[in-house]
Amino acid sequence: MRFTVLAAAAALMITGTPAVPASAGGAQVPEIDWAACGPEHPGFECASVKVPLDYDDPRGATTTVALARKPATDTARRIGSLFLNPGGPGGSGVDFALGAGNALSANLQGRFDIVGFDPRGIGKSDPLHCFASEADLGKFFEGIPGFPYQASQERPFFDRYRSLGPECRDDQRIARHMSTADVARDMDLLRRAVGDRKLSYLGFSYGSFLGATYANLFPDNIRALVIDGVLDPELWSSGRQIESDRIATKEEFREFLRTCDEAACVFGPQSEKRWDALLKSVRAKPIELGGQVFTYDAVINSALGAMYSPSDWPDAAALFDQLSDAAAGSLSVAAEPDYANGFDAYNGNVCADIEYPRDFNAYKAISRYAAAGSEFGPAWWWGNAACANWPVNPDRFTGPWRTRTNAPVLVVGNYFDGVTDFRGAQAANRQLAGSRLLAYAGWGHTAYGVSQCATDHTNAYLLNGTLPPVGTVCPANPNPFLPSVASAEPLFKPSRR
């Protein structure tokens, strides 16, 4: 995708005054009129409900939230509803439920209604639109790189992204009410609407921040809450996520290079030297390959994208091998992914939650800090310029993040997660009193559906409340470059951007 994720540096940290959270208690519980989603989704039901636009005025204006569910198949032993969030922010919970609902239902013995919802402003839930058309969206990106990697690119990029605030805010009510705290209030209202006394939840990536927010706003309303691929909520909400991003992707990418050499992949031997040479070459001059032009930012973003899932590593290594050859003179492929509507929603939620710097010089300084961590740091940082002229939502929640929940939270983290690093899971485990940390010693973003060990422990917790023993570490899967491993696709591919 063309947009990058968020952050800020400790040296230039911007802090907001924590808002007093509004309760969902005064809002009217909606009735859900479930109906078949259509012949293309047999066995699934869809609906939409009205929720308060502003929980400070719970009986006032409303906004629409779209839902989809796979009803429990073991109705005699039905536990309740399991709410999902696939990440982003900007990911569609409806699409996630429709795509993964059957597999999740089977994993959980058919004992849950698997429920996904599009958070407010996203997908089918009164979506935020910053542009009149997809063509206008495309024009927004014309003439600027995926992120600035030369000094001359920084000011034009900043000015373009900064202009997004007024484009998205003006005349759109939902733009002023897209904080994660409001999504958590919606989720508590939906919990009541489906008839559950307590919440069961499985959240990935940004969904971990939604889960942590819910846990702090509604600590007594939890039956079972799993966060997998965990953002440290203190870093994220304060705009300091760059402290993690500047090093986390590099840590996983070093494993990409190490396992590549270990398995004699096409980018080896001495893949680290080839990578450094490739970056030096493409920074000096774009590389033409198969009729496509690869700039420095495109190569970095290709590497960053591959860190989400080790199943993509062999293809990434093949691309880097071809680019390295092409830099000297050779051939072949690779295509840009299609753009979904997540760009608008991502910024709408992030800018509502987090107070970023307003000044161009601050973005430049933090970019230097990010680059000092690794070549991936600036790619994560610069997209936050979209928030430079976008006020935060007064109903956002910025902490304190330390609470004790009525039921223990299961926190799942991978040792080598270049998107939400293991330190985030450790932080959330410290912040949520009584929670249990489950570690996966492998690579990639999130563990459920990737590690059988982590999947089994998560299923046992969701079904029975059984926590893994303290200190449990699930072993890493085999080297991702081995042929039998490379062909295995993960069950889910959550995203943080």
Side-chain angles (χ1 to χ4, degrees), residues 285-327:
K285 181 182 178 182
I287 298 170
E288 292 190 22
L289 180 64
Q292 189 172 349
V293 176
F294 284 83
T295 51
Y296 176 87
D297 55 304
V299 174
I300 290 291
N301 279 330
S302 293
L304 195 156
M307 295 304 97
Y308 279 81
S309 174
S311 65
D312 295 333
W313 287 11
D315 287 342
L319 173 62
F320 301 148
D321 177 56
Q322 292 163 353
L323 287 169
S324 295
D325 289 344

Side-chain angles (χ1 to χ4, degrees), residues 5-6 245 249 304 308 376-382 384 418-419 496:
V5 185
L6 73 94
D245 292 338
T249 307
L304 195 156
Y308 279 81
F376 301 102
W380 285 112
W381 168 247
W382 273 103
N384 300 314
V419 183
R496 188 190 130 198

Side-chain angles (χ1 to χ4, degrees), residues 438-440 447 450-459 472-475 477:
L438 172 63
Y440 166 51
V450 176
S451 160
Q452 190 60 53
C453 165
T455 303
D456 289 344
H457 279 301
T458 300
N459 291 341
T472 298
V473 179
C474 291
N477 289 341

Side-chain angles (χ1 to χ4, degrees), residues 36-44 46 98-99 102 124:
C37 294
E40 66 276 21
H41 299 294
F44 285 84
C46 291
L98 294 175
N102 285 323
K124 299 176 179 65

Side-chain angles (χ1 to χ4, degrees), residues 259 262 310 313 440 443 450 475-482 484-486:
T259 55
E262 181 180 81
W313 287 11
Y440 166 51
W443 315 273
V450 176
N477 289 341
N479 187 312
F481 287 99
L482 297 175
S484 60
V485 178

Side-chain angles (χ1 to χ4, degrees), residues 20-22 54-58 394-395:
V20 177
D54 183 351
Y55 280 93
D56 291 326
D57 183 16
D395 288 330

